[in-house]
Amino acid sequence: MEPPPPPKEEQQKVLREITEYALTYSKSLPDFICLQVTRRSVDLHYQRGAVGSFSPADRILERLTYFEQKEKYEPISVNDKALMGKGWEGLGGSFSRGEFGTSLNEIFNPDSKAEFGWDHWGTLRGKLCYVFRYRIDQAHSKETIDWNRGARQVTPGYQGLVYVQKGDNKILRITIEPQPPVDFPVQDIHQVIDYNYVDIGGQSFLLPFFSTVQMRDGLQASRNEIEFRSYHKYSAGTTITFDDVDSPLPEDQKVEQKPEPKPPPKK
């Protein structure tokens, strides 16, 4: 039996602390580079509500530079075929951006008018977590979904969950569930971003280490599993040789599928 929710005063205190943390998150990060590995898979006959039968499509390596609070992506290879000097925009398929602060800021920014509510106690990688649900309506959303490289674009409302480690009150996971118009080609979008402590230049920072994005376009569904690794401090002229070992994630770092979050109670 799940323990009762924490007192309202405790919930409000935690929400105040993580809001302040989220709004200053990007400014707190150092300049760094890392390797982003995106494994994309597809299910050509996806059935809504089913787990799906996904087959590997490709594996993309990118050099990600975070400098002066801006992200820059440089493709390295697709399926081990070199792509140096080419832009990721020409690769086709679905991509996700904004894991390094943009998503956090948009959820907690006062302009988003997010509604927060208690959801449940959770355990993530062995840590007890407060789990809050949130909802942002379309009028205050900045979540953009682009279909077919600009052929159509929408800014829908969205909802999700925020996992906060009890004690440290640090955000360990966020989920994002956009709600596009019913006639928009892409539906059933679900994103998970997991954060963990990473050493950069002798200091510990809470940074994305894994993310998944799943969506459906008609009868076809796609899933991107994104791993961030080989973090290094960035400085002019930095040369890094990435260790491209395609090893599986440890069991305690795998992202389990979660049911869709319940909406916050109406006021």
Side-chain angles (χ1 to χ4, degrees), residues 2-266:
E2 183 174 315
K8 290 289 185 183
E9 295 77 11
E10 184 177 342
Q11 295 182 36
Q12 291 169 358
K13 178 178 181 294
V14 173
L15 285 171
R16 284 196 301 269
E17 289 186 12
I18 62 175
T19 295
E20 181 180 354
Y21 168 79
L23 295 180
T24 58
Y25 177 76
S26 294
K27 294 180 181 179
S28 72
L29 298 181
D31 295 334
F32 63 82
I33 62 174
C34 71
L35 179 66
Q36 176 170 315
V37 182
T38 302
R39 298 174 181 87
R40 303 196 295 186
S41 56
V42 296
D43 182 345
L44 299 178
H45 305 286
Y46 181 74
Q47 306 245 340
R48 294 189 66 186
V51 175
S53 179
F54 289 87
S55 301
D58 55 26
R59 175 174 172 267
I60 301 170
L61 270 61
E62 297 175 271
R63 173 190 170 112
L64 194 162
T65 303
Y66 187 86
F67 180 68
E68 295 182 344
Q69 301 172 42
K70 295 181 180 179
E71 301 161 31
K72 180 182 178 181
Y73 298 84
E74 301 172 87
I76 297 173
S77 66
V78 173
N79 298 331
D80 299 321
K81 182 179 179 180
L83 285 174
M84 297 298 289
K86 298 182 180 180
W88 64 268
E89 295 88 350
L91 296 179
S94 61
F95 283 86
S96 171
R97 304 303 191 206
E99 287 85 357
F100 291 87
T102 302
S103 296
L104 279 178
N105 186 282
E106 290 177 356
I107 292 171
F108 289 93
N109 194 306
D111 293 341
S112 296
K113 306 292 184 184
E115 296 180 16
F116 290 92
W118 175 256
D119 197 83
H120 66 278
W121 289 105
T123 302
L124 189 62
R125 299 189 294 279
K127 299 178 176 66
L128 181 63
C129 294
Y130 305 98
V131 184
F132 297 96
R133 59 183 178 270
Y134 71 89
R135 181 192 291 275
I136 297 172
D137 63 25
Q138 191 277 331
H140 299 95
S141 173
K142 294 182 176 62
E143 177 78 6
T144 301
I145 305 173
D146 184 285
W147 177 75
N148 198 19
R149 294 294 182 266
R152 191 171 175 191
Q153 191 177 83
V154 293
T155 303
Y158 60 103
Q159 62 183 10
L161 299 174
V162 180
Y163 287 68
V164 182
Q165 181 179 348
K166 181 175 171 56
D168 287 352
N169 289 351
K170 297 297 185 184
I171 297 171
L172 298 185
R173 169 183 289 176
I174 60 174
T175 74
I176 300 170
E177 301 266 1
Q179 300 162 317
V182 294
D183 64 341
F184 191 70
V186 180
Q187 298 288 330
D188 301 334
I189 305 165
H190 178 73
Q191 180 175 13
V192 179
I193 304 174
D194 271 344
Y195 300 83
N196 210 347
Y197 287 97
V198 177
D199 182 273
I200 299 180
Q203 296 186 61
S204 184
F205 297 92
L206 198 62
L207 288 163
F209 79 95
F210 195 71
S211 177
T212 60
V213 185
Q214 184 170 313
M215 62 188 70
R216 177 179 60 85
D217 185 347
L219 295 177
Q220 178 173 312
S222 64
R223 178 188 292 165
N224 291 3
E225 296 179 309
I226 307 162
E227 181 186 352
F228 306 92
R229 66 188 193 207
S230 301
Y231 281 95
H232 291 81
K233 188 173 183 179
Y234 174 82
S235 60
T238 301
T239 301
I240 296 294
T241 301
F242 291 117
D243 178 18
D244 179 24
V245 178
D246 195 15
S247 55
L249 285 174
E251 287 296 324
D252 65 345
Q253 294 187 4
K254 290 182 178 179
V255 179
E256 66 272 23
Q257 295 296 316
K258 292 289 181 180
E260 292 188 0
K262 297 173 288 186
K266 294 183 179 179

